[in-house]
Amino acid sequence: MGADHDGNLPRDATVADYLVARLAEWGVHRYYGYPGDGINGMTSALQRAEGRARFIQVRHEETAGFAAGAHVKYGGGPLGCVVVTSGPGAIHALNGLYDAKLDHQPVVALLGHTALPAEGGGYYQEVDLLSLYKDVASAFLAQLDDPSQARHLVDRACRTALARRTVTALVLPSDVQDLPAVPHPPHAHGYYHTSAVPSSEPTVPPEADVRRAAEVLRGGERVAMLVGQGALGAEDEVRRIADRLGAGVATALLGFTAVDHRQPWVTGAIGLLGSRPSWQLMRECDRLLIVGSQMPYSEFYPPEGQARAVQIDIDGSRMGLRYPTEVNLTGDAGPTLRALLRELGPGPGQTAWRATLADATGKWRAAQREVAAQPADPVNPQSLFTSLDDALPDDAVLAVDCGTATAWYARHVRVRPGMLASLSGTLLSMGGGMPYALAAKFAHPDRPVIALLGDGAMQMNGVNELITVAKYWREWADPRFVVLVLNNRDLAFVSWEQRSSEGTPMFPDSQDLPDVAYHKWAEVLGLGGELVDSPDRVDGLWQRVLDADRPVVVNAVVDPAELMLPPHFTAEQARKTAAAVLRGDSDRAGIVRRGVPAALATYRPRRRGR
């Protein structure tokens, strides 16, 4: 990025031309959005910037918001950018932008708006965007009313988004976009002259604090680590510190790719969708090191007072929010962990604690594969994920939607170094999987992308965004783009939540979904389609779709009664689930048929001495 250049703007450059050039200095070269007259100036400028900036036309502005945040998550660039029209376009984008805000991804939203002379007159599509966006873009939100503001508003929006890892927004009245650019404001009172150089970030905390953290951790005999997305990019350091401490490592879903899940000391996901070994790790540890995670389920941390804890995070304001930590280290995960390693000195090597965790993890994984292999009606959804785990290319990129697909991904997919994977981790919004997959593919057009969706999410926006896939796929260097749809005709995750938390049976009026031939819709669009409606169709599935010469949609007709057992199934949850079944749940027979063998396999008591 340069400092204060004007991007070699022509003499007749508009404000919109300047915005595109200035954003390019901050690393923005890809814009997700949908056109409209409120941003005609911006789309015209993007057309003139062909080769230097790219507008990606999605089917809905919500997708643009999701994709902009995912663009950063998948390494597409330092900043995500959304450009949407006034009124309805800006409203539509909010959900995707909230996903970016809650997952701490730097995104700049460019919002078209009513022309200045018409503001306040009840013009078509006139919405008070400054009020509407004051929460999602609370870190920085401004309206550009004069061309001389463009430079400092863009610089501050980008700098703030990067420094605070959040969403910022600029409101762009339609007439101002077409005014002559002012790249160099006058040297006079009331004007600003700003820089497009990013600010440095805190890297390593003070040496004394690192030494105190080492003293706390060094005395542990049963050390647990919890890693989240803040550990991404520090995979080697996480492994080395885990080895040095003889620790077991549990992962938040956003931090899944920070460790190699094939390692016996990696206990896997934590929380409601997590593993039983991760539950055991937290229940039995005497030290806890949290690296870049804000996993909010407090019941999945050690009981207060059991473990002495240290936390590492780039944002000091988020320390000690989940567990009463003793030392808080504000800094980047990589250099902070390296500094901690130097203070810790030589390690204990293999420990009895690690051997215990490896035994528990191995048994858990074997039990999960046993559950996945059990017969279902017609297809066991978990078998699709175990077979995916066996077939994943080393450079695979995964996009996961919110629902039962998240559970099976967390339980069965062992991501490893070189892979990328993400999801809507804090907002937990349905409908994020396809936008994430699109952003991943544009960031890595030479790598295979696999989207894992439920039928609810597919019907929400996936069927429409397949049109986007059909529009662009021929330009991708690697055409592999696989969409797995778990077609169980049920909003199954919510159905299970109703049973276990409310004690009420599945409510068909709320939960039933239409049965859609997703594979045929793909074929209508010129894509590949694969129907999996029997267990024999699972065999060789992933090889078939990953050998295809175009994107493929897999319509997997799966059992809606597949039981989602948390790692620690409480007596109260069991009582309420049983009550729901006894009250005439429409899936009663299937729950009994699938639940008994699944519970036996997953919760089989551990034998003494093993």
Side-chain angles (χ1 to χ4, degrees):
M1 300 180 194
D4 293 317
H5 306 297
D6 59 14
N8 297 316
L9 289 171
R11 291 179 179 273
D12 59 350
T14 66
V15 167
D17 291 320
Y18 178 72
L19 292 174
V20 172
R22 193 68 174 183
L23 284 163
E25 293 189 52
W26 284 96
V28 176
H29 301 284
R30 186 174 298 132
Y31 297 73
Y32 287 95
Y34 201 80
D37 63 351
I39 54 165
N40 277 348
M42 282 300 303
T43 51
S44 296
L46 288 168
Q47 183 179 21
R48 291 190 289 269
E50 185 177 0
R52 293 176 286 117
R54 179 84 186 276
F55 180 83
I56 304 297
Q57 183 208 77
V58 293
R59 310 276 66 76
H60 193 282
E61 290 92 350
E62 180 187 42
T63 295
F66 276 124
H71 168 85
V72 183
K73 286 185 175 184
Y74 288 108
L79 273 168
C81 192
V82 172
V83 56
V84 293
T85 193
S86 55
I91 294 168
H92 283 164
L94 278 171
N95 190 54
L97 291 172
Y98 268 107
D99 175 61
K101 177 185 174 75
L102 269 60
D103 278 355
H104 307 289
Q105 300 304 309
V107 171
V108 176
L110 305 178
L111 315 172
H113 193 39
T114 306
L116 283 176
E119 283 186 23
Y123 197 74
Y124 287 121
Q125 299 187 334
E126 184 179 1
V127 171
D128 184 354
L129 295 181
L130 293 174
S131 295
L132 182 68
Y133 270 69
K134 67 181 180 180
D135 180 40
V136 74
S138 57
F140 184 71
L141 169 65
Q143 180 167 312
L144 198 166
D145 289 334
D146 186 278
S148 63
Q149 294 177 289
R151 176 169 153 183
H152 79 258
L153 291 185
V154 168
D155 289 348
R156 191 171 175 197
C158 294
R159 187 182 311 282
T160 304
L162 288 166
R164 300 191 185 179
R165 300 198 62 81
T166 192
V167 173
T168 59
L170 297 180
V171 178
L172 309 176
S174 58
D175 56 334
V176 176
Q177 295 171 42
D178 289 323
L179 293 176
V182 180
H184 302 289
H187 185 68
H189 181 74
Y191 294 94
Y192 299 110
H193 303 83
T194 52
S195 162
V197 176
S199 305
S200 65
E201 295 183 355
T203 54
V204 183
E207 185 176 334
D209 291 338
V210 176
R211 187 175 301 115
R212 284 200 303 127
E215 290 170 358
V216 169
L217 294 170
R218 192 183 290 117
E221 295 181 356
R222 301 181 306 280
V223 182
M225 290 178 62
L226 170 59
V227 301
Q229 68 171 339
L232 299 178
E235 292 82 1
D236 184 61
E237 289 85 354
V238 168
R239 177 188 56 76
R240 290 169 59 199
I241 203 86
D243 286 341
R244 164 59 187 86
L245 295 171
V249 178
T251 58
L253 288 178
L254 285 174
F256 233 47
T257 57
V259 293
D260 185 345
H261 287 254
R262 299 169 300 182
Q263 295 295 330
W265 44 267
V266 175
T267 60
I270 193 170
L272 290 175
L273 305 182
S275 74
R276 193 166 181 82
S278 289
W279 168 264
Q280 178 185 348
L281 175 73
M282 293 296 166
R283 298 302 292 182
E284 299 178 7
C285 69
D286 63 4
R287 298 291 189 276
L288 173 62
L289 173 59
I290 305 169
V291 184
S293 175
Q294 292 292 318
M295 194 279 294
Y297 292 133
S298 58
E299 69 271 29
F300 288 92
Y301 288 88
E304 185 172 358
Q306 172 188 300
R308 299 179 68 184
V310 172
Q311 186 167 2
I312 298 171
D313 203 291
I314 194 72
D315 185 349
S317 70
R318 300 205 297 267
M319 300 287 198
L321 294 178
R322 311 305 187 196
Y323 191 79
T325 47
E326 193 170 329
V327 182
N328 295 317
L329 302 177
T330 303
D332 287 340
T336 302
L337 288 172
R338 290 194 294 273
L340 184 57
L341 276 166
R342 289 191 293 271
E343 289 293 339
L344 284 168
Q350 185 65 7
T351 63
W353 168 240
R354 264 200 166 180
T356 298
L357 294 173
D359 180 65
T361 301
K363 288 176 179 176
W364 164 265
R365 290 174 179 168
Q368 292 304 297
R369 290 189 77 90
E370 181 181 328
V371 171
Q374 291 169 355
D377 183 19
V379 174
N380 186 330
Q382 301 192 60
S383 68
L384 294 157
F385 287 76
T386 55
S387 59
L388 170 63
D389 183 56
D390 293 336
L392 272 176
D394 290 338
D395 62 345
V397 183
L398 301 170
V400 188
D401 216 292
C402 184
T404 56
T406 322
W408 312 141
Y409 160 74
R411 297 280 174 92
H412 296 298
V413 178
R414 295 170 300 166
V415 296
R416 51 192 183 267
M419 293 182 182
L420 297 171
S422 198
L423 71 164
S424 176
T426 309
L427 188 62
L428 302 177
S429 176
M430 287 177 62
M434 277 291 282
Y436 271 49
L438 284 166
K441 195 65 178 181
F442 279 108
H444 303 282
D446 57 344
R447 296 175 65 169
V449 170
I450 301 169
L452 307 172
L453 280 65
D455 47 1
M458 190 64 178
Q459 291 182 18
M460 187 173 284
N461 62 9
V463 290
N464 289 327
E465 293 307 336
L466 276 182
I467 300 172
T468 308
V469 175
K471 174 181 172 70
Y472 289 108
W473 75 267
R474 289 176 178 82
E475 70 180 57
W476 296 333
D478 184 333
R480 290 178 293 176
F481 186 102
V482 182
V483 181
L484 171 66
V485 185
L486 300 179
N487 181 5
N488 56 18
R489 293 76 60 206
D490 176 20
L491 289 170
F493 196 97
V494 179
S495 294
W496 280 110
E497 287 177 322
Q498 288 177 339
R499 292 173 183 125
S500 63
S501 64
E502 300 293 327
T504 58
M506 195 271 274
F507 181 33
D509 288 358
S510 164
Q511 301 304 108
D512 279 353
L513 292 174
D515 187 4
V516 176
Y518 305 102
H519 61 297
K520 291 186 177 179
W521 171 232
E523 290 169 352
V524 167
L525 295 173
L527 310 176
E530 180 96 16
L531 176 64
V532 177
D533 57 358
S534 64
D536 63 287
R537 293 293 298 165
V538 178
D539 294 338
L541 167 68
W542 294 105
Q543 193 62 51
R544 294 194 300 272
V545 297
L546 289 170
D547 283 345
D549 64 353
R550 65 194 59 213
V552 179
V553 173
V554 178
N555 179 15
V557 184
V558 298
D559 196 333
E562 190 66 10
L563 204 63
M564 285 200 308
L565 292 170
H568 179 64
F569 200 44
T570 66
E572 181 67 8
Q573 289 171 322
R575 184 190 67 77
K576 288 183 175 180
T577 302
V581 173
L582 292 173
R583 288 172 183 166
D585 196 295
S586 59
D587 283 335
R588 176 177 179 174
I591 292 170
V592 173
R593 169 178 49 78
R594 289 297 301 127
V596 173
L600 287 174
T602 299
Y603 290 96
R604 184 180 294 123
R606 288 183 293 163
R607 296 177 183 174
R608 291 186 181 275
R610 294 189 63 184

